[in-house]
Amino acid sequence: MDNRNSLSFRQIIDTLSATINPVNHVMDLVPSDMQELFQKSMLISLSILKTSEMVHNSGGQIDYQQLYQLLKPLLTDPEVINSYNKWKSDLCCMTPQMLKHKRLQVIFDVLKRDIMKYDEDAFNYEVNEINDDEITQWISCEEKLDDNLKKELAKLKRYLIKEGDIIMIDRQKFGKYAMKHIKAFSYEDARAMFELDATLDMVNADLVAQNPRLQTIINKYRLQPEPFNAFAPAKIIKSILTQTEVLALVSNKQKYTAQWIEQFVDNLIASEHGRKIAEDWANSKKRIKIPALVAGTLISAGVFNCSKPKLARAIRVQHDFTVTIDSYATYMGCKKEQPYLEWVQNYVKSN
């Protein structure tokens, strides 16, 4: 594939991304009874294109961890996250037992949607390894672990990592399973897989919040972003966006704390956009724009509830750049120069 075709590939991806972005209201032109089908079709097409682009750029090799991160914004239903957060908010208190019950409940719900139907039948020894007593303690009295569910659970266990209180998807193995049966996989199958992965991650995060030592287990199996405190773009962007005057302009002070913003910056630098940000940072003419571009996307995503000039003025309290407030505010609005705008909007929705 030559550079001309690669560029065309990227243009198609950008066009599809812009089309499904609700900010652009393109879907408003589609008859209401066709919108769901049209949305699904474009999401599937975009997923295939992004996967193909990654495979091409990597010389035919697939890193399923990276592929998951690439497709997560497309195939993770936002309602999954909203539902989980609502479940948490409705609890009087959250215990490890409640989290483990929730986790098993979601696993069973997803298995009942038959996502393991493409895998080889479970062997007797795999079914016998299912510990009934260990499982039944986390389900309600009305629920039953029937033989069929045990067989499906045995197949799913082939693709799970279980250590201590942590259960997570083995993305390399599960990715290979999905790719092997990609022609048979439906849109609903893919969404169910990403729902399971997202929910397990949210449960694990809450388990870690109650027992921080569990993070060590997660770190063994999930590639963690390298520490970016010494990385110039991340360090400067963090210092700019966590100034007292800047934090005063966030839309939700309980949610969008300095810690939230620092984690956001780390994840942005660790994303597929990190390399481009680093390259632009090396160019002194582009460097001054990068914090402004990030700040501008956060206004668009609703993290900051203010005008661009007001945020620019707050930023310049401690960072007296050699540009005017109006110029800095203009940088924030350079949408054509914001290749990570969609990523930021999806991140804010999911976090």
Side-chain angles (χ1 to χ4, degrees):
M1 186 178 292
D2 59 25
N3 290 334
R4 182 179 58 189
N5 287 334
S6 295
L7 177 61
S8 176
F9 219 41
R10 172 46 47 186
Q11 287 176 330
I12 294 172
I13 289 174
D14 290 344
T15 301
L16 281 173
S17 299
T19 302
I20 64 175
N21 190 335
V23 173
N24 296 324
H25 298 287
V26 176
M27 293 294 293
D28 295 349
L29 303 176
V30 180
S32 57
D33 60 333
M34 293 293 294
Q35 283 189 7
E36 183 179 1
L37 178 61
F38 192 49
Q39 180 88 355
K40 287 181 179 180
S41 299
M42 286 194 294
L43 282 170
I44 293 171
S45 300
L46 190 53
S47 300
I48 294 171
L49 283 169
K50 285 196 171 189
T51 302
S52 300
E53 184 186 44
M54 191 199 83
V55 173
H56 168 67
N57 291 340
S58 63
Q61 300 299 314
I62 300 179
D63 184 323
Y64 291 102
Q65 175 74 12
Q66 291 183 6
L67 182 60
Y68 171 81
Q69 296 296 345
L70 189 68
L71 300 182
K72 177 182 176 181
L74 297 176
L75 296 175
T76 302
D77 186 351
E79 185 54 36
V80 170
I81 297 165
N82 295 337
S83 175
Y84 182 82
N85 289 332
K86 184 180 184 304
W87 169 77
K88 286 202 305 182
S89 66
D90 289 342
L91 296 175
C92 297
C93 64
M94 185 171 60
T95 65
Q97 289 75 18
M98 291 176 177
L99 288 166
K100 291 172 184 177
H101 167 70
K102 178 67 172 178
R103 177 169 63 194
L104 193 60
Q105 186 180 51
V106 171
I107 289 174
F108 282 179
D109 287 345
V110 170
L111 286 177
K112 289 173 183 176
R113 285 148 70 180
D114 213 14
I115 65 166
M116 303 309 303
K117 59 180 173 289
Y118 309 110
D119 206 16
E120 296 177 356
D121 290 340
F123 292 98
N124 287 331
Y125 80 87
E126 292 178 299
V127 176
N128 292 336
E129 286 177 354
I130 302 293
N131 188 327
D132 292 35
D133 293 336
E134 183 180 351
I135 292 175
T136 53
Q137 65 177 316
W138 303 120
I139 61 178
S140 65
C141 299
E142 292 76 19
E143 295 175 292
K144 289 186 178 180
L145 181 61
D146 60 43
D147 290 342
N148 185 62
L149 196 54
K150 284 181 67 173
K151 291 176 183 177
E152 295 303 298
L153 183 57
K155 290 193 284 187
L156 178 63
K157 280 188 66 178
R158 297 167 179 168
Y159 307 97
L160 294 180
I161 295 168
K162 185 179 186 304
E163 184 172 334
D165 285 340
I166 297 297
I167 296 177
M168 64 179 76
I169 294 288
D170 186 324
R171 290 178 182 161
Q172 293 294 339
K173 290 183 179 179
F174 213 1
K176 289 179 181 179
Y177 164 65
M179 193 60 64
K180 180 180 178 180
H181 304 285
I182 191 67
K183 292 183 179 180
F185 256 68
S186 68
Y187 173 82
E188 286 71 22
D189 292 331
R191 297 280 272 199
M193 287 176 60
F194 276 81
E195 175 181 338
L196 177 60
D197 194 290
T199 306
L200 291 182
D201 279 358
M202 288 187 289
V203 169
N204 288 337
D206 285 325
L207 287 169
V208 168
Q210 297 189 9
N211 182 3
R213 288 178 295 180
L214 294 174
Q215 185 64 46
T216 304
I217 299 175
I218 296 175
N219 292 347
K220 284 172 56 178
Y221 302 102
R222 290 276 191 265
L223 292 178
Q224 301 299 311
E226 297 177 3
F228 292 103
N229 289 335
F231 184 45
K235 186 175 181 179
I236 296 299
I237 295 170
K238 287 178 184 179
S239 66
I240 286 174
L241 297 182
T242 57
Q243 296 176 76
T244 302
E245 294 79 7
V246 174
L247 288 175
L249 300 177
V250 298
S251 58
N252 185 335
K253 292 179 175 56
Q254 283 70 44
K255 180 177 182 180
Y256 301 126
T257 61
Q259 292 75 22
W260 188 96
I261 289 176
E262 289 182 350
Q263 186 62 56
F264 156 76
V265 174
D266 281 345
N267 289 338
L268 174 61
I269 299 297
S271 74
E272 64 269 23
H273 301 292
R275 184 180 296 276
K276 184 64 168 63
I277 291 174
E279 291 172 354
D280 288 345
W281 191 264
N283 184 333
S284 59
K285 293 182 179 179
K286 293 183 177 182
R287 186 178 304 161
I288 196 171
K289 290 185 178 182
I290 294 174
L293 291 174
V294 175
T297 62
L298 290 174
I299 289 178
S300 300
V303 174
F304 291 110
N305 184 24
C306 62
S307 66
K308 293 179 178 68
K310 189 171 183 178
L311 182 55
R313 194 172 297 111
I315 286 174
R316 288 201 54 188
V317 169
Q318 293 182 26
H319 293 267
D320 191 15
F321 299 120
T322 56
V323 294
T324 65
I325 288 175
D326 287 341
S327 295
Y328 205 69
T330 300
Y331 292 158
M332 292 182 187
C334 293
K335 291 186 178 180
K336 291 183 179 179
E337 297 182 25
Q338 292 181 340
Y340 34 88
L341 174 60
E342 181 186 2
W343 184 95
V344 171
Q345 290 176 325
N346 287 326
Y347 179 89
V348 172
K349 288 179 183 177
S350 302
N351 295 275

PDB file of all heavy atoms in Angstrom, residues 73-96:
ATOM      1  N   PRO A  73     -13.308   3.318  22.150  1.00  0.00           N
ATOM      2  CA  PRO A  73     -14.277   4.426  22.042  1.00  0.00           C
ATOM      3  C   PRO A  73     -15.420   4.136  21.075  1.00  0.00           C
ATOM      4  O   PRO A  73     -16.505   4.703  21.219  1.00  0.00           O
ATOM      5  CB  PRO A  73     -13.411   5.602  21.533  1.00  0.00           C
ATOM      6  CG  PRO A  73     -12.016   5.230  21.851  1.00  0.00           C
ATOM      7  CD  PRO A  73     -11.961   3.737  21.741  1.00  0.00           C
ATOM      8  N   LEU A  74     -15.171   3.250  20.095  1.00  0.00           N
ATOM      9  CA  LEU A  74     -16.196   2.955  19.098  1.00  0.00           C
ATOM     10  C   LEU A  74     -17.184   1.901  19.567  1.00  0.00           C
ATOM     11  O   LEU A  74     -18.376   1.980  19.282  1.00  0.00           O
ATOM     12  CB  LEU A  74     -15.534   2.464  17.798  1.00  0.00           C
ATOM     13  CG  LEU A  74     -14.620   3.443  17.064  1.00  0.00           C
ATOM     14  CD1 LEU A  74     -13.991   2.752  15.859  1.00  0.00           C
ATOM     15  CD2 LEU A  74     -15.379   4.679  16.632  1.00  0.00           C
ATOM     16  N   LEU A  75     -16.691   0.898  20.274  1.00  0.00           N
ATOM     17  CA  LEU A  75     -17.509  -0.285  20.555  1.00  0.00           C
ATOM     18  C   LEU A  75     -17.947  -0.425  22.008  1.00  0.00           C
ATOM     19  O   LEU A  75     -18.675  -1.355  22.339  1.00  0.00           O
ATOM     20  CB  LEU A  75     -16.748  -1.543  20.122  1.00  0.00           C
ATOM     21  CG  LEU A  75     -16.479  -1.637  18.611  1.00  0.00           C
ATOM     22  CD1 LEU A  75     -15.615  -2.846  18.291  1.00  0.00           C
ATOM     23  CD2 LEU A  75     -17.788  -1.699  17.833  1.00  0.00           C
ATOM     24  N   THR A  76     -17.500   0.474  22.876  1.00  0.00           N
ATOM     25  CA  THR A  76     -17.980   0.447  24.259  1.00  0.00           C
ATOM     26  C   THR A  76     -19.203   1.348  24.369  1.00  0.00           C
ATOM     27  O   THR A  76     -19.104   2.559  24.180  1.00  0.00           O
ATOM     28  CB  THR A  76     -16.899   0.919  25.248  1.00  0.00           C
ATOM     29  OG1 THR A  76     -15.744   0.091  25.102  1.00  0.00           O
ATOM     30  CG2 THR A  76     -17.406   0.822  26.685  1.00  0.00           C
ATOM     31  N   ASP A  77     -20.323   0.748  24.645  1.00  0.00           N
ATOM     32  CA  ASP A  77     -21.574   1.506  24.767  1.00  0.00           C
ATOM     33  C   ASP A  77     -21.485   2.423  25.984  1.00  0.00           C
ATOM     34  O   ASP A  77     -21.293   1.942  27.106  1.00  0.00           O
ATOM     35  CB  ASP A  77     -22.742   0.526  24.916  1.00  0.00           C
ATOM     36  CG  ASP A  77     -24.100   1.215  24.904  1.00  0.00           C
ATOM     37  OD1 ASP A  77     -24.128   2.458  24.960  1.00  0.00           O
ATOM     38  OD2 ASP A  77     -25.115   0.504  24.851  1.00  0.00           O
ATOM     39  N   PRO A  78     -21.624   3.740  25.800  1.00  0.00           N
ATOM     40  CA  PRO A  78     -21.559   4.658  26.943  1.00  0.00           C
ATOM     41  C   PRO A  78     -22.555   4.313  28.044  1.00  0.00           C
ATOM     42  O   PRO A  78     -22.318   4.581  29.218  1.00  0.00           O
ATOM     43  CB  PRO A  78     -21.882   6.029  26.321  1.00  0.00           C
ATOM     44  CG  PRO A  78     -21.530   5.884  24.875  1.00  0.00           C
ATOM     45  CD  PRO A  78     -21.830   4.456  24.528  1.00  0.00           C
ATOM     46  N   GLU A  79     -23.660   3.679  27.659  1.00  0.00           N
ATOM     47  CA  GLU A  79     -24.678   3.329  28.646  1.00  0.00           C
ATOM     48  C   GLU A  79     -24.170   2.296  29.635  1.00  0.00           C
ATOM     49  O   GLU A  79     -24.633   2.220  30.770  1.00  0.00           O
ATOM     50  CB  GLU A  79     -25.935   2.804  27.934  1.00  0.00           C
ATOM     51  CG  GLU A  79     -27.108   2.534  28.865  1.00  0.00           C
ATOM     52  CD  GLU A  79     -27.481   3.734  29.745  1.00  0.00           C
ATOM     53  OE1 GLU A  79     -27.386   4.884  29.263  1.00  0.00           O
ATOM     54  OE2 GLU A  79     -27.848   3.524  30.924  1.00  0.00           O
ATOM     55  N   VAL A  80     -23.185   1.474  29.207  1.00  0.00           N
ATOM     56  CA  VAL A  80     -22.578   0.487  30.103  1.00  0.00           C
ATOM     57  C   VAL A  80     -21.917   1.210  31.279  1.00  0.00           C
ATOM     58  O   VAL A  80     -22.073   0.830  32.441  1.00  0.00           O
ATOM     59  CB  VAL A  80     -21.537  -0.363  29.345  1.00  0.00           C
ATOM     60  CG1 VAL A  80     -20.723  -1.216  30.312  1.00  0.00           C
ATOM     61  CG2 VAL A  80     -22.236  -1.240  28.325  1.00  0.00           C
ATOM     62  N   ILE A  81     -21.192   2.257  30.970  1.00  0.00           N
ATOM     63  CA  ILE A  81     -20.504   3.032  32.006  1.00  0.00           C
ATOM     64  C   ILE A  81     -21.515   3.799  32.855  1.00  0.00           C
ATOM     65  O   ILE A  81     -21.412   3.836  34.083  1.00  0.00           O
ATOM     66  CB  ILE A  81     -19.492   3.983  31.353  1.00  0.00           C
ATOM     67  CG1 ILE A  81     -18.425   3.162  30.623  1.00  0.00           C
ATOM     68  CG2 ILE A  81     -18.846   4.911  32.380  1.00  0.00           C
ATOM     69  CD1 ILE A  81     -17.579   3.922  29.662  1.00  0.00           C
ATOM     70  N   ASN A  82     -22.502   4.400  32.203  1.00  0.00           N
ATOM     71  CA  ASN A  82     -23.531   5.142  32.940  1.00  0.00           C
ATOM     72  C   ASN A  82     -24.294   4.227  33.889  1.00  0.00           C
ATOM     73  O   ASN A  82     -24.586   4.599  35.036  1.00  0.00           O
ATOM     74  CB  ASN A  82     -24.507   5.803  31.968  1.00  0.00           C
ATOM     75  CG  ASN A  82     -23.853   6.873  31.116  1.00  0.00           C
ATOM     76  OD1 ASN A  82     -22.827   7.427  31.511  1.00  0.00           O
ATOM     77  ND2 ASN A  82     -24.418   7.166  29.969  1.00  0.00           N
ATOM     78  N   SER A  83     -24.628   3.036  33.408  1.00  0.00           N
ATOM     79  CA  SER A  83     -25.375   2.082  34.229  1.00  0.00           C
ATOM     80  C   SER A  83     -24.559   1.649  35.445  1.00  0.00           C
ATOM     81  O   SER A  83     -25.092   1.547  36.559  1.00  0.00           O
ATOM     82  CB  SER A  83     -25.764   0.868  33.385  1.00  0.00           C
ATOM     83  OG  SER A  83     -26.387  -0.121  34.164  1.00  0.00           O
ATOM     84  N   TYR A  84     -23.269   1.397  35.229  1.00  0.00           N
ATOM     85  CA  TYR A  84     -22.411   0.979  36.333  1.00  0.00           C
ATOM     86  C   TYR A  84     -22.294   2.100  37.373  1.00  0.00           C
ATOM     87  O   TYR A  84     -22.402   1.853  38.581  1.00  0.00           O
ATOM     88  CB  TYR A  84     -21.031   0.603  35.807  1.00  0.00           C
ATOM     89  CG  TYR A  84     -20.076   0.118  36.882  1.00  0.00           C
ATOM     90  CD1 TYR A  84     -20.114  -1.200  37.332  1.00  0.00           C
ATOM     91  CD2 TYR A  84     -19.158   0.987  37.469  1.00  0.00           C
ATOM     92  CE1 TYR A  84     -19.255  -1.647  38.324  1.00  0.00           C
ATOM     93  CE2 TYR A  84     -18.294   0.548  38.470  1.00  0.00           C
ATOM     94  CZ  TYR A  84     -18.342  -0.763  38.887  1.00  0.00           C
ATOM     95  OH  TYR A  84     -17.496  -1.201  39.881  1.00  0.00           O
ATOM     96  N   ASN A  85     -22.096   3.319  36.894  1.00  0.00           N
ATOM     97  CA  ASN A  85     -21.971   4.447  37.821  1.00  0.00           C
ATOM     98  C   ASN A  85     -23.271   4.686  38.584  1.00  0.00           C
ATOM     99  O   ASN A  85     -23.247   5.048  39.757  1.00  0.00           O
ATOM    100  CB  ASN A  85     -21.553   5.710  37.066  1.00  0.00           C
ATOM    101  CG  ASN A  85     -20.114   5.648  36.594  1.00  0.00           C
ATOM    102  OD1 ASN A  85     -19.283   4.977  37.204  1.00  0.00           O
ATOM    103  ND2 ASN A  85     -19.803   6.337  35.512  1.00  0.00           N
ATOM    104  N   LYS A  86     -24.408   4.479  37.914  1.00  0.00           N
ATOM    105  CA  LYS A  86     -25.704   4.624  38.599  1.00  0.00           C
ATOM    106  C   LYS A  86     -25.856   3.550  39.666  1.00  0.00           C
ATOM    107  O   LYS A  86     -26.342   3.816  40.765  1.00  0.00           O
ATOM    108  CB  LYS A  86     -26.852   4.539  37.592  1.00  0.00           C
ATOM    109  CG  LYS A  86     -28.229   4.789  38.231  1.00  0.00           C
ATOM    110  CD  LYS A  86     -29.340   4.703  37.205  1.00  0.00           C
ATOM    111  CE  LYS A  86     -30.684   5.060  37.848  1.00  0.00           C
ATOM    112  NZ  LYS A  86     -31.002   4.219  39.017  1.00  0.00           N
ATOM    113  N   TRP A  87     -25.437   2.329  39.313  1.00  0.00           N
ATOM    114  CA  TRP A  87     -25.494   1.239  40.295  1.00  0.00           C
ATOM    115  C   TRP A  87     -24.681   1.611  41.531  1.00  0.00           C
ATOM    116  O   TRP A  87     -25.137   1.402  42.663  1.00  0.00           O
ATOM    117  CB  TRP A  87     -24.956  -0.037  39.659  1.00  0.00           C
ATOM    118  CG  TRP A  87     -24.717  -1.159  40.631  1.00  0.00           C
ATOM    119  CD1 TRP A  87     -25.661  -1.970  41.196  1.00  0.00           C
ATOM    120  CD2 TRP A  87     -23.449  -1.574  41.174  1.00  0.00           C
ATOM    121  NE1 TRP A  87     -25.064  -2.869  42.051  1.00  0.00           N
ATOM    122  CE2 TRP A  87     -23.710  -2.655  42.063  1.00  0.00           C
ATOM    123  CE3 TRP A  87     -22.145  -1.155  40.996  1.00  0.00           C
ATOM    124  CZ2 TRP A  87     -22.706  -3.297  42.769  1.00  0.00           C
ATOM    125  CZ3 TRP A  87     -21.130  -1.794  41.688  1.00  0.00           C
ATOM    126  CH2 TRP A  87     -21.407  -2.855  42.565  1.00  0.00           C
ATOM    127  N   LYS A  88     -23.495   2.169  41.319  1.00  0.00           N
ATOM    128  CA  LYS A  88     -22.660   2.565  42.460  1.00  0.00           C
ATOM    129  C   LYS A  88     -23.321   3.672  43.278  1.00  0.00           C
ATOM    130  O   LYS A  88     -23.307   3.641  44.511  1.00  0.00           O
ATOM    131  CB  LYS A  88     -21.285   3.051  41.981  1.00  0.00           C
ATOM    132  CG  LYS A  88     -20.373   1.950  41.511  1.00  0.00           C
ATOM    133  CD  LYS A  88     -18.909   2.368  41.570  1.00  0.00           C
ATOM    134  CE  LYS A  88     -18.633   3.636  40.813  1.00  0.00           C
ATOM    135  NZ  LYS A  88     -17.186   3.992  40.842  1.00  0.00           N
ATOM    136  N   SER A  89     -23.879   4.663  42.590  1.00  0.00           N
ATOM    137  CA  SER A  89     -24.468   5.795  43.297  1.00  0.00           C
ATOM    138  C   SER A  89     -25.702   5.410  44.098  1.00  0.00           C
ATOM    139  O   SER A  89     -26.046   6.069  45.087  1.00  0.00           O
ATOM    140  CB  SER A  89     -24.830   6.914  42.307  1.00  0.00           C
ATOM    141  OG  SER A  89     -25.864   6.496  41.434  1.00  0.00           O
ATOM    142  N   ASP A  90     -26.363   4.313  43.700  1.00  0.00           N
ATOM    143  CA  ASP A  90     -27.568   3.862  44.416  1.00  0.00           C
ATOM    144  C   ASP A  90     -27.237   3.034  45.662  1.00  0.00           C
ATOM    145  O   ASP A  90     -28.123   2.745  46.464  1.00  0.00           O
ATOM    146  CB  ASP A  90     -28.459   3.029  43.486  1.00  0.00           C
ATOM    147  CG  ASP A  90     -29.137   3.878  42.417  1.00  0.00           C
ATOM    148  OD1 ASP A  90     -29.196   5.108  42.602  1.00  0.00           O
ATOM    149  OD2 ASP A  90     -29.592   3.318  41.411  1.00  0.00           O
ATOM    150  N   LEU A  91     -25.963   2.661  45.816  1.00  0.00           N
ATOM    151  CA  LEU A  91     -25.568   1.855  46.968  1.00  0.00           C
ATOM    152  C   LEU A  91     -25.393   2.732  48.205  1.00  0.00           C
ATOM    153  O   LEU A  91     -24.897   3.852  48.125  1.00  0.00           O
ATOM    154  CB  LEU A  91     -24.242   1.133  46.691  1.00  0.00           C
ATOM    155  CG  LEU A  91     -24.223   0.084  45.571  1.00  0.00           C
ATOM    156  CD1 LEU A  91     -22.806  -0.433  45.370  1.00  0.00           C
ATOM    157  CD2 LEU A  91     -25.165  -1.070  45.893  1.00  0.00           C
ATOM    158  N   CYS A  92     -25.795   2.212  49.330  1.00  0.00           N
ATOM    159  CA  CYS A  92     -25.538   2.918  50.592  1.00  0.00           C
ATOM    160  C   CYS A  92     -24.044   2.891  50.917  1.00  0.00           C
ATOM    161  O   CYS A  92     -23.472   3.856  51.405  1.00  0.00           O
ATOM    162  CB  CYS A  92     -26.338   2.281  51.733  1.00  0.00           C
ATOM    163  SG  CYS A  92     -28.122   2.392  51.508  1.00  0.00           S
ATOM    164  N   CYS A  93     -23.429   1.734  50.669  1.00  0.00           N
ATOM    165  CA  CYS A  93     -21.985   1.593  50.813  1.00  0.00           C
ATOM    166  C   CYS A  93     -21.543   0.500  49.854  1.00  0.00           C
ATOM    167  O   CYS A  93     -22.325  -0.383  49.507  1.00  0.00           O
ATOM    168  CB  CYS A  93     -21.593   1.261  52.251  1.00  0.00           C
ATOM    169  SG  CYS A  93     -22.231  -0.333  52.814  1.00  0.00           S
ATOM    170  N   MET A  94     -20.302   0.578  49.412  1.00  0.00           N
ATOM    171  CA  MET A  94     -19.818  -0.386  48.432  1.00  0.00           C
ATOM    172  C   MET A  94     -18.762  -1.273  49.081  1.00  0.00           C
ATOM    173  O   MET A  94     -17.745  -0.784  49.578  1.00  0.00           O
ATOM    174  CB  MET A  94     -19.222   0.337  47.215  1.00  0.00           C
ATOM    175  CG  MET A  94     -18.815  -0.602  46.096  1.00  0.00           C
ATOM    176  SD  MET A  94     -18.378   0.304  44.587  1.00  0.00           S
ATOM    177  CE  MET A  94     -17.014   1.308  45.200  1.00  0.00           C
ATOM    178  N   THR A  95     -19.013  -2.566  49.081  1.00  0.00           N
ATOM    179  CA  THR A  95     -18.090  -3.524  49.691  1.00  0.00           C
ATOM    180  C   THR A  95     -17.473  -4.401  48.600  1.00  0.00           C
ATOM    181  O   THR A  95     -18.024  -4.504  47.496  1.00  0.00           O
ATOM    182  CB  THR A  95     -18.824  -4.428  50.695  1.00  0.00           C
ATOM    183  OG1 THR A  95     -19.779  -5.232  49.979  1.00  0.00           O
ATOM    184  CG2 THR A  95     -19.540  -3.593  51.750  1.00  0.00           C
ATOM    185  N   PRO A  96     -16.355  -5.055  48.887  1.00  0.00           N
ATOM    186  CA  PRO A  96     -15.785  -5.997  47.916  1.00  0.00           C
ATOM    187  C   PRO A  96     -16.779  -7.091  47.523  1.00  0.00           C
ATOM    188  O   PRO A  96     -16.790  -7.543  46.383  1.00  0.00           O
ATOM    189  CB  PRO A  96     -14.575  -6.577  48.662  1.00  0.00           C
ATOM    190  CG  PRO A  96     -14.184  -5.512  49.634  1.00  0.00           C
ATOM    191  CD  PRO A  96     -15.474  -4.887  50.066  1.00  0.00           C
TER     192      PRO A  96
END
